Amino acid sequence: MATKQEMIQEMLAMQKKFMEYEHENGVQPVEYYAAQDGHPLQGYAEKYRDLAMKVMEIAHEEHGSQR
């Protein structure tokens, strides 16, 4: 399992690629949430959400808090 810092770095890399794609092509909601097979954003929203949830869970564990 990746560390919290590794997941954050992956999220930042994903954001950078997304912004580059968006600036070059624009992004419609359907591309973000339901991109077709082979589309550069296919699975982006789900993967980013999953990473963010894991980072949040780790942060809560580190601080002894609950969400």
Side-chain angles (χ1 to χ4, degrees):
M1 180 174 177
T3 67
K4 180 177 80 171
Q5 190 59 36
E6 290 169 338
M7 287 186 274
I8 291 169
Q9 291 303 315
E10 183 175 359
M11 292 170 66
L12 291 172
M14 289 176 68
Q15 288 176 347
K16 182 179 179 186
K17 287 180 183 178
F18 176 84
M19 289 187 298
E20 289 170 356
Y21 180 85
E22 180 183 30
H23 288 140
E24 291 176 14
N25 305 291
V27 175
Q28 298 297 317
V30 71
E31 291 176 284
Y32 183 81
Y33 292 106
Q36 299 294 320
D37 290 343
H39 191 283
L41 297 178
Q42 180 185 6
Y44 177 88
E46 295 85 1
K47 182 174 182 179
Y48 193 88
R49 178 203 60 219
D50 292 347
L51 285 168
M53 293 299 291
K54 288 177 187 174
V55 168
M56 182 185 67
E57 289 170 8
I58 292 169
H60 278 296
E61 288 174 11
E62 289 173 348
H63 295 282
S65 60
Q66 298 177 355
R67 59 178 191 132

